[in-house]
Amino acid sequence: MRAAVAPVASAEEIVRIAGVLDDVVIARIQATGATVGDVLQAYLRLTDDDAVDPSRAGGPATSAAVDAVYDILSAEIETPDEE
């Protein structure tokens, strides 16, 4: 029996989480294979002042997709600290 694989986040799901993004940015996020959960985790890590990067806190490492989406979003979205 095969385990179910979560689908890659759709453009609509990505926009719902991260706001309006350029189509190229959305395509780059989708190319990572990120699920809705991955996109949400990356977005929350980027925008939550109280969030601690698990890799720096000695916690479990995030997935490669979360890390890739975080890098993409961090180049595109102004965080509250930057405003």
Side-chain angles (χ1 to χ4, degrees):
M1 185 173 198
R2 285 180 21 182
V5 176
V8 172
S10 70
E12 293 81 18
E13 292 167 327
I14 294 168
V15 168
R16 199 171 320 133
I17 293 168
V20 178
L21 297 168
D22 186 86
D23 289 343
V24 173
V25 175
I26 292 171
R28 288 179 54 214
I29 291 170
Q30 289 176 316
T32 68
T35 65
V36 171
D38 294 335
V39 175
L40 181 59
Q41 187 177 354
Y43 181 77
L44 290 175
R45 192 170 107 199
L46 178 65
T47 60
D48 185 357
D49 288 340
D50 296 328
V52 176
D53 184 349
S55 63
R56 286 188 275 159
T62 55
S63 73
V66 171
D67 291 340
V69 173
Y70 176 86
D71 290 342
I72 293 166
L73 290 177
S74 66
E76 298 298 323
I77 295 177
E78 283 190 27
T79 60
D81 295 357
E82 297 171 348
E83 293 178 347

